[in-house]
Amino acid sequence: MKTVLFPVLGAVAVFAAGVTPSTAGDRYADRPPVMVSPDLSAPWVLQLGHAPGIVRQNRQVVQQPRLRYAQPGQPDRVQTAAVQPPSKRMVMRPQINPIYLPQEVAYDGPQKPGTIVIDTTQNFLFLVEKNGKARRYGVGTGKPGFEWSGTHKITNKREWPDWRPPAQMIKREAAKGRYLPTYLAGGMENPLGARALYIGTTEYRIHGTNQPWTIGGAVSSGCIRMRNEDVVDLYERVNVGTTVEVI
């Protein structure tokens, strides 16, 4: 009795819901194809590249290189070059000619050992040594109109000297639109560099520079420029009272 009652009750429930057995089975049957208007499907067909009658040019896809960078306090991340954070533009300075680096050379001049000789034509400074030798350094010398010559003594030595531009230099540079300070404390930004040797009673000095790429040229207002490491070396080798001959 139970086996007969269950199917009957199931059929009654189906008809009560207004669903016929055939329509209930349709959910598992094959559906008719969905028709899409051509104007809607055309863009997608074009993307697939298989639209009949359409010829597409081959385009080479260039993959952006993946670069790794790290920001302070953050783990490494990978980004494409297209979204890489902008890097600071590097300014390349010309390199000093190796001929202007310090070296021992033969010297046959008449000056006594311990004398400083500055050749403003060749842009060399010689510290005369014994036995026909000299220690040669490259220097920067006076620009055209600022050349000079003469024999003097070193009257003072300063480490990381202050700079007080002469009034004439301040006026001359102001006429060019460049305004100099009346005083600048010693340091890396100071144009006199790491050391200064004061020449006689003149306003000229043998000094270092924060522009080492200018060594070997006529670049100054009369002072003798040296690389910072070279002027430190010379500073330790000579004393106040040393003769300086500028030729």
Side-chain angles (χ1 to χ4, degrees):
M1 185 68 178
K2 292 180 179 181
T3 58
V4 175
L5 181 61
F6 180 78
V8 172
L9 292 176
V12 172
V14 170
F15 285 108
V19 180
T20 63
S22 60
T23 57
D26 286 346
R27 73 182 63 183
Y28 305 107
D30 293 336
R31 296 293 182 182
V34 178
M35 302 301 294
V36 181
S37 174
D39 58 344
L40 296 178
S41 63
W44 303 102
V45 174
L46 290 176
Q47 289 188 26
L48 296 176
H50 296 299
I54 297 178
V55 179
R56 303 183 63 197
Q57 296 181 351
N58 293 330
R59 292 183 299 174
Q60 184 177 4
V61 178
V62 179
Q63 177 139 13
Q64 295 282 3
R66 299 178 70 81
L67 304 176
R68 183 174 297 276
Y69 75 96
Q71 295 182 351
Q74 296 183 3
D76 288 352
R77 295 191 299 168
V78 176
Q79 281 194 336
T80 62
V83 292
Q84 181 76 356
S87 59
K88 294 182 179 180
R89 186 175 182 180
M90 297 182 63
V91 179
M92 301 301 293
R93 299 293 188 186
Q95 299 297 313
I96 185 172
N97 189 325
I99 196 174
Y100 296 116
L101 297 178
Q103 52 188 294
E104 294 289 327
V105 297
Y107 189 81
D108 59 358
Q111 295 84 4
K112 297 179 180 180
T115 302
I116 293 175
V117 180
I118 301 172
D119 183 341
T120 57
T121 302
Q122 300 296 322
N123 292 323
F124 288 125
L125 181 151
F126 299 88
L127 176 59
V128 181
E129 299 174 336
K130 297 179 181 179
N131 303 319
K133 299 289 185 180
R135 185 166 181 80
R136 190 183 74 186
Y137 306 85
V139 295
T141 55
K143 296 178 288 188
F146 293 91
E147 308 95 333
W148 64 280
S149 61
T151 301
H152 299 275
K153 300 284 187 181
I154 292 178
T155 53
N156 198 1
K157 297 170 61 178
R158 293 284 180 85
E159 297 184 6
W160 295 106
D162 298 337
W163 184 44
R164 292 177 173 84
Q168 290 182 350
M169 178 183 290
I170 293 176
K171 182 178 180 179
R172 183 172 61 248
E173 293 300 320
K176 302 176 183 177
R178 181 183 177 216
Y179 299 95
L180 301 180
T182 57
Y183 169 81
L184 185 62
M188 291 301 296
E189 300 300 322
N190 192 305
L192 297 185
R195 301 289 188 272
L197 305 172
Y198 293 76
I199 303 175
T201 58
T202 72
E203 295 179 340
Y204 304 129
R205 311 165 187 84
I206 301 170
H207 64 78
T209 181
N210 52 22
Q211 297 178 325
W213 56 90
T214 63
I215 298 303
V219 291
S220 76
S221 296
C223 286
I224 307 302
R225 293 185 186 180
M226 303 180 71
R227 296 190 314 159
N228 278 332
E229 49 268 55
D230 295 346
V231 77
V232 169
D233 181 69
L234 180 65
Y235 185 95
E236 299 298 329
R237 294 174 183 268
V238 300
N239 300 313
V240 172
T242 296
T243 298
V244 178
E245 185 175 341
V246 179
I247 59 177

